[in-house]
Amino acid sequence: MPERMRILTGVRPTGPLHLGHYAGALSTWLELQCEYDCYFLIADYQVSDHADDLPRVRSAVWDVALDWLAAGLDPDSASFVIESGVPEHAELTTWLAWLLPVGMLERNPTLRAEMEAIENPDDATTRGKSVPVAFYIYPVMQVANILLPRAHLVPVGEDQLPHVELARETARRFNHDFKPIFPEPEALVGRVPRLLGTDGNVKMSKSRGNTIDLKDGADVVAKKVRVMYAGPPRGANEPGEVEANPVFGYLDAFDNDAAEVSDLKERYARHGVSNVELKDRLTRVLNELLEPMRQRRAQYEGNMARVRDALEHGTGRARAIARETMGRVHEALDLDYLRKYR
Ligand code: TRP
């Protein structure tokens, strides 16, 4: 029997996960975990931009693990991996950095945008910081994340495509220059590319305070939806523009009754539907989605040892395959110096 195809994907531990993570990532991962050998990585080597707030990063590792369990990821079939628990990531990063010309990082559009955001945050209350070297090379480590378990598929958001391309290029080079060890990984882009923030901003993010978190209670969700941006102001029965109203974006993402949503859009565009009606529907839909997560979360929160076990087992599994891969890498790079004169 051919071995099961492997998947690797990950998230940076910066805080609790929100609906954007669910729509763009978790909902896909939930489907994939049944079919593939999945490695879900908590990338705690790749948060050098949060070095001034280590406690936040450390507690975010638990936030992420709890959110994954609450969302229904199954730690018995998928591996939850703490990146720094597999130090082979650091070693492989160093070897792979041999193969990548700096120009490939200089031209990486996602990296460039992120560096720019660190140096010149658009949030006026925070001062810009300088970019750590570790941040500059994080795409190389992300390549190591993907190649270490010799992953075939990488489910990601669109912004991560340049990194997956880098992984493909690196795999080709390594295989060609040394030994054919790595499958050329393929990207898999999720169903909802991007969810707007509750304030209508193009990005839902913790730093903008425009998220709905997976762990938000029913009242919090209702309140956040009530004050959510719903397009430019208009009179009670004036027709609205569907595209200008992000509430519809959320309904598209989370409302299972596509027929009713499209009927609602039509009425909205023809003679106007009150935003209150729209928002009531969204609140109901979101709370139906989140309620089972709240229940699962409560169970795990009452038994954090199970969360720890999930992280420990998953990291152990990742380490086993990492060691196997590094054995091959050592052989390919002729690293076993001390055997020579035995
Ligand atoms: N850089 C990714 C993000 O910001 C997170 C990540 C780290 C990742 N390692 C990865 C994604 C490996 C896919 C594969 O979302």
Side-chain angles (χ1 to χ4, degrees):
M1 200 179 108
E3 55 177 351
R4 258 201 319 167
M5 298 256 277
R6 281 179 302 274
I7 281 188
L8 179 127
T9 187
V11 69
R12 302 195 318 139
T14 57
L17 303 180
H18 52 63
L19 284 178
H21 293 110
Y22 185 82
L26 293 179
S27 61
T28 320
W29 302 5
L30 284 168
E31 289 167 21
L32 295 169
Q33 69 172 350
C34 317
E35 250 183 275
Y36 296 88
D37 183 11
C38 290
Y39 295 85
F40 298 131
L41 185 78
I42 303 177
D44 67 334
Y45 273 138
Q46 296 175 51
V47 281
S48 53
D49 50 330
H50 294 281
D52 54 354
D53 197 356
L54 222 45
R56 168 170 156 194
V57 170
R58 299 293 176 252
S59 74
V61 170
W62 297 98
D63 291 332
V64 169
L66 264 171
D67 280 328
W68 284 357
L69 291 164
L73 292 182
D74 173 10
D76 292 326
S77 63
S79 305
F80 292 10
V81 186
I82 298 178
E83 186 182 38
S84 65
V86 184
E88 285 78 6
H89 284 124
E91 188 191 357
L92 185 59
T93 299
T94 306
W95 294 123
L96 296 181
W98 280 41
L99 299 176
L100 292 173
V102 282
M104 290 190 71
L105 292 180
E106 284 165 356
R107 286 190 302 272
N108 186 306
T110 298
L111 179 62
R112 286 171 70 133
E114 287 166 338
M115 286 179 18
E116 166 63 23
I118 291 173
E119 286 170 335
N120 302 303
D122 54 15
D123 168 3
T125 61
T126 46
R127 293 245 308 299
K129 303 186 222 171
S130 52
V131 175
V133 171
F135 193 89
Y136 187 65
I137 63 164
Y138 94 75
V140 187
M141 186 164 275
Q142 187 161 334
V143 171
N145 298 154
I146 296 167
L147 298 191
L148 203 50
R150 305 190 302 278
H152 304 92
L153 277 179
V154 188
V156 280
E158 230 166 305
D159 60 321
Q160 299 292 306
L161 289 177
H163 303 337
V164 180
E165 193 46 50
L166 208 60
R168 294 171 62 80
E169 180 66 30
T170 312
R172 279 196 292 268
R173 289 188 187 194
F174 191 100
N175 292 344
H176 174 269
D177 296 355
F178 304 110
K179 265 195 181 139
I181 293 179
F182 301 112
E184 229 177 272
E186 255 172 88
L188 198 74
V189 177
R191 85 195 151 96
V192 179
R194 178 152 280 168
L195 211 61
L196 299 181
T198 51
D199 57 357
N201 192 285
V202 291
K203 200 166 178 197
M204 183 178 276
S205 77
K206 185 181 157 66
S207 60
R208 288 199 171 85
N210 64 4
T211 66
I212 293 177
D213 296 341
L214 301 186
K215 68 180 171 65
D216 283 345
D219 309 349
V220 176
V221 171
K223 188 165 158 232
K224 287 182 174 178
V225 171
R226 208 177 308 128
V227 298
M228 185 172 161
Y229 175 76
R234 66 191 166 92
N237 287 316
E238 273 182 64
E241 268 181 66
V242 171
E243 285 74 40
N245 187 342
V247 176
F248 280 111
Y250 284 47
L251 288 174
D252 283 336
F254 301 114
D255 195 324
N256 292 323
D257 199 332
E260 273 189 37
V261 173
S262 91
D263 177 64
L264 201 59
K265 284 180 182 170
E266 205 206 311
R267 286 195 289 129
Y268 186 83
R270 206 153 15 101
H271 52 76
V273 170
S274 79
N275 285 335
V276 174
E277 183 186 334
L278 270 188
K279 287 179 168 183
D280 282 349
R281 183 181 180 98
L282 181 59
T283 299
R284 176 175 59 71
V285 163
L286 292 182
N287 280 329
E288 273 169 22
L289 173 76
L290 296 177
E291 189 48 38
M293 297 192 206
R294 291 179 192 126
Q295 286 174 15
R296 269 191 300 264
R297 172 189 308 278
Q299 285 180 359
Y300 281 103
E301 269 174 339
N303 191 352
M304 287 302 285
R306 275 172 72 202
V307 183
R308 189 212 47 220
D309 287 348
L311 290 168
E312 195 169 85
H313 287 144
T315 303
R317 279 194 288 227
R319 187 130 205 228
I321 188 168
R323 288 199 164 128
E324 196 183 297
T325 302
M326 285 317 289
R328 298 189 205 180
V329 168
H330 283 203
E331 202 199 317
L333 297 178
D334 196 17
L335 273 167
D336 200 358
Y337 298 108
L338 301 185
R339 250 180 100 114
K340 201 150 189 168
Y341 297 108
R342 214 177 359 220

